[in-house]
Amino acid sequence: MHWIATRNAVVSLPRWRSFAFLFRSPFRTHSSLKASPLLLNARYSERTYCLGDRKSVKGITTSSSKKVKTKSADVLTDKDLSHLLWWKERLQTCKKPSTLQLIERLMYTNLLGLDPSLRNGSLKDGNLNWEMLQFKSRFPREVLLCRVGDFFEAIGIDACILVEYAGLNPFGGLRSDSAPKAGCPVVNLRQTLDDLTRNGYSVCIVEEVQGPTPARSRKGRFISGHAHPGSPYVYGLVGVDHDLDFPEPMPVVGISRSARGYCMISIFETMKAYSLDDGLTEEALVTKLRTRRCHHLFLHASLRNNASGTCRWGEFGEGGLLWGECSGRNFEWFEGDTLSELLSKVKDVYGLDDEVSFRNVNVPSENRPRPLHLGTATQIGALPTEGIPCLLKVLLPSTCSGLPSLYVRDLLLNPPAYDIALKIQETCKLMSTITCSVPEFTCVSSAKLVKLLEQREANYIEFCRIKNVLDEVLHMHGHPELVEILKLLMEPTWVATGLKIDFETFVNECHWASDSIGEMISLDDDESHQNVSNCANIPNEFFYDMESSWRGRVKGIHIEEEITQVAKSAEALSLAVTEDFHPIVSRIKAMAASLGGSKGEITYAKEHESVWFKGKRFTPSVWGGTAGEEQIKQLKPAFDSKGKKVGEEWFTTQKVEAALVRYHEATENANARVLELLRELSAKLQTKINVLVFASMLLVIAKALFSHACEGRRRKWVFPTLVGFSTDEAANPLDGGATRMKLTGLSPYWFDVASGTAVHNTVDMQSLFLLTGPNGGGKSSLLRSICAAALLGICGFMVPAESAYIPHCDSIMLHMKSYDSPVDGKSSFQVEMSEIRSIVSQATSKSLVLIDEICRGTETAKGTCIAGSVIESLDASGCLGIVSTHLHGIFDLPLTAKNVTYKAMGAENVEGQTKPTWKLTDGVCRESLAFETAKREGVPETIIQRAEALYLSVYAKDTSSGVVRPKKTAASSDNSREISKPVSSERSLEKDLAKAILKICGKKMVEPVGLECLSIGARELPPPSTVGSSCVYVMKRPDKRLYIGQTDDLEGRIRAHRAKEGLQGSSFLYLVVQGKSMACQLETLLINQLHEQGYSLANLADGKHRNFGTSSSVAASDVVSIS
C-alpha cells in the first residue's frame, strides 16, 4: 500500500482534465522537525477558525481590497494531491449501492471532491460550499460536518463516507444532476460521530455562531472541535450534566528497524506525549500491536530491508510475522529521521501548529525485562485467547474492570524493572495487612482530564469526580496506615505517566486543586438559595426546566446578583400571571366548568418554554360583560419564537409576555455566568494538569493493586521472594541466589486453591529441565503454571503457590503448540521454527525458557536431532527452563549439555491400568499412555487393538523406566506484619454507637481483649484483611436507622447494600469475629439490645429468629469464648 504524490507535479490543471495519471507517482515526505520535550501543563489551544460575513482569521480573508489568501478551488498543491489519493483509496472500499452512485459524481479537482457543474456544487467565492472548502483545507483528512440550521451537513467525499458508514440517506435522493450531499439532525450528532470514529475516521465539526444575524449577512461559523477514534467530541459538555464515556486512547504508531531491533513510537495527540520502545523483538512488537488499536499506522522504509534480501518485505524469514500483522491494516510508508518525521506527520494529521511539542513519557531503565512474546502472552491468557484460561480474570475480582484492568494487562505484557516490582509487591503486602477502611479509588481517564480541561468543557459532574480523586489522595496522606502506601505508589505512577513529582509537592498541589474546586463548586446540599423558584400559580415544572441546568453547580456566593435577578423576575412573572390570568380562570370555573362548558387553566407550554393561558372552547368575545372583562380584553393569541400562531386554545397578554422575556433573560444571564465560572475553573486547573494526571493514574494503580491483594488473599496465594540476578560471575549457581527458582506447592493459576481441587507441585529449578511424561500427564499445565507464576512474581504480584522464590528474569519465553499460517504460506513446523529461532537468539543466563513438546511437527529422527541441538544451545546460555518432549530418542544422542536435569510427570498403576498423577518427579518417563488416551476420547476399539498389535511387532522392547519421586519440601510461611489501627471517628454519634457495640459484644466473650470496632466511611471499602473472615456489621443508613447483619464477604455485602436505591451514602461499623456461629449470635444480640437502648433499627424483626440476646442481662451460661 503506497500513498503517493509528486513534488514536481502540475498543481493547476483545466477542470476537465483527469488526475488519474498522477496516482502512480512516488510519494515522499520532506519536512523534518526535532522533537522537544514539553511539560504537560504547557498551554496548548487550537486556533479557532470562523467564517461569517466573508471574514475569517489567521490569514484567511475574503476582502476584495486585499490579496486573497483563501483556498482556491482551482489550485492543488502536492500535499492536496496526497490527501485526495488518501480519500480515493478509502472510497474504493465502499460497497453500498447508494454510496457507489454518489462516488461516480465526484471530481477530484478540490479537497471536497465537488463537481462545480452539478446542481448545488458551486464553489463561488463566499457561498456555503466555499466556506466548507476553507475548513476542509485546514483538516483535509477529516470528515467535515457543518451546522446548517437544525442539521449537520456534509458534501462531496464526506457525504459518501456518511452514507456508507453512518447509515444516512443522501439529501435529495440519488439525482444524477445533484452534488453528493448528506447529513444528520443535530440531536443525532453523537451517534453519527460514534459510527464514523468506530470505522477509523476523524471528524471536524463546524458550528454556527448562535444569536441574531444582521440583515443581508451569513451566519458566522467556527470549528467547535474534533472527534477522533479514542477521543470523542466534547463541545457543549460544560453546560449539561452528562458523563461522556471516554474510550482507550488510540495513538498514531510508527514502526522502524535498526541494529538494536524493532522500534515502536506511539504518539498521543490528546496528551501531547509519546512513548518510544526500542530494541523490540518481532514477536514483542506484534504483541504490542495486537493490544493497542492505533489511529494511524506508519511504517518506516527501513523495514523493507529484510533478512532474506528479497524484494517483498517479510516474504521469508524474519519480518514475516510483522508483515502478516500489518498487511491487514491501513498504513503509510515514510522515510527520514523516525521520530521527527513521525511527529511532523502527526501535526499534519491533526492540524497542529509547528510550535506544538510532545514530551517523552519513557522512564529510562537498564534492568527492565523484555516485553512478552505474542506466543507467551496468548498461551497464559494475558491476552484473551479461546481455550486458554485468562490470567487477568484470576488476578482481579469480577468487580474490577476498566482502567485498573488495563493497567494490570499492560504490566504483565511489559514487566517492570526490579526496583519497581519490589515497590508493587511491598504495596500489595501493606494493603493486605491494613485494618482501616480504604477509599473507593475513583478512576478517571488521564486523556479525558486533559481534553476536557484543555477545551474548557469540564462540567459539574467532572469537577466533582476530580475533587473525589484529589480528596482520596489527601485522605491517604492523612491516615497513618495509608500514607505509607501512598508513598510506595509514587514510583510506579512515575513509570506509568513519565511524570516525576516530589511527594510533598504532589500533596501540596492536590490540596490547592481540591480547595480551588471546593471554593467554586457547590457541594453542600444545604444551600437552600440554590433551589429553583417556586410560585403557587405557576407550574413547578416550568421553573425546574428553566433553572435546573445552572442551579447548584457553583456556590451561591459567586452568582448572588444573578440569583437575585432570577428571583425578582420570577416574582414579576408570578404577579403578571396572577393579575392577568387568575380572574379569568376563577370566572370560568364559577360559571361554566360544573356544567361541562368551557374550561380554562394556566399551563406550561414546554416546547415553547412559556406559561400561557389555555382555554378549551373559550372565546374572549363571548365572555364580555362578565366579571374579569378587563382581563379578557387583554388576551391575545400566543405565538412561537418564529412568529407563528401556536393554536386556537393558547392565549397570553402583553404584561405576561414582557415578564417572560425578563425572566428568560435573567436565567440566561445566570446560566452564562455559571458556564463562565466553570470554564475559568478549567483554565485554573489546567495549570496543574501534571498533578491531576499523576493523581488519577495513582488511584488507578491503587485500585488495581488493592483489588489484586483482595483476590489473592481469597485464593490463598502468597507473595514470592523476589531477588535480582547476581552480578558476581564467580558465584556458584547451585548455592541458591538469583540463579535458582523454587516454587513450593505450585498450583495451576486457573484453579481456585481455596476449593481444594488443584494438584500441587514443587519445582526447584537450578538449570534446564528435560521433561517427559504421558499424554494428559500435566506437562503443558505445569509449563503454563510456572510461566504464570514467574511472570506474576517479576511484576510484584502474588503467585498461586504455598511459597515461592523467584529470580527477576530479563525475559520469560513460553512456546506451546504451533498452528500453520496459510496467510503467510507457512506450515506449523515453519511457525514453530520461527519461534524457536527467536527464543534461542534471545536466551541469556537470566532468562526463563519453557518449550512444550519441541519439534513435534516434522520427521521424528531429524526432529529429535534439532531438539537435541536446541537443548545444547539453551544449556550453553545458562538459562533456567523446561523443555518437554515425547521424542525419547533424544536420550540416545551424544549431547554435550552438562547441566540438564531429567524430570518426568509421574504415573501409577491402579487396578492394572496406568494413570497419571500430575506430579513432577525425577527421572525419565517413556510411557505415553497414547492408547489409553485414544480410547478415552472414543477412538474405535478395533483401531486401538490394531495399533497395539503394530506397536508390539515393531517396538517389542520395554521403553518404560522407573520414576523417582523427589522429597517433599516443607512450605515456608512468612509471618506478615500486622498494623493495628486505633478506633477513631469524627462524629460523637459514631463513637457512642461503637462503644455500645463493644460493650454488648464484650460481655458475651470470655476473651474480649483485642476486640475492635472499625468504621467504613460513605465512600470507602473494607480492607483486604477482612477477606474470608466472619464479620458482624452495623450499617448507618441515610435515614438515620441502623441495619445489623453478619457475613463472610464484607466487601460484597457492602456493595450489595449500596446498590439499593437510597442507600448509596451508607457508612458501616464492623467487628471481625471467629467463626460464622459467633457472628450469628452477636448479630441477634446486637439487634435486640441496641433496640432496647433506643436505637432505631431497620431490621428489628431479624432479632426474633433466634432466642439469644433478648434480655438486657447476660447469664453466665450464655458466655462463649472467642480466639
Side-chain angles (χ1 to χ4, degrees), residues 773-795:
N775 289 304
K779 298 188 299 298
S780 301
S781 295
L782 179 65
L783 265 62
R784 277 198 182 93
S785 302
I786 294 174
C787 181
L791 178 61
L792 294 175
I794 68 172
C795 289

Side-chain angles (χ1 to χ4, degrees), residues 1037-1087:
R1037 295 159 46 114
D1039 60 4
K1040 309 303 181 184
R1041 293 197 298 167
L1042 305 180
Y1043 179 94
I1044 301 171
Q1046 60 81 26
T1047 181
D1048 289 340
D1049 180 14
L1050 185 59
E1051 180 182 351
R1053 184 64 61 86
I1054 288 176
R1055 290 185 185 275
H1057 281 305
R1058 288 176 177 169
K1060 296 179 180 179
E1061 185 68 27
L1063 299 182
Q1064 293 84 352
S1066 301
S1067 57
F1068 294 78
L1069 293 172
Y1070 73 95
L1071 300 91
V1072 179
V1073 299
Q1074 187 69 32
K1076 191 173 184 68
S1077 176
M1078 172 60 66
C1080 292
Q1081 294 180 49
L1082 292 180
E1083 175 193 15
T1084 307
L1085 178 68
L1086 286 173
I1087 290 175

Side-chain angles (χ1 to χ4, degrees), residues 634-645:
Q634 295 175 5
L635 289 179
K636 62 178 183 178
F639 293 88
D640 60 18
S641 59
K642 297 181 180 180
K644 184 178 179 181
K645 188 176 179 180

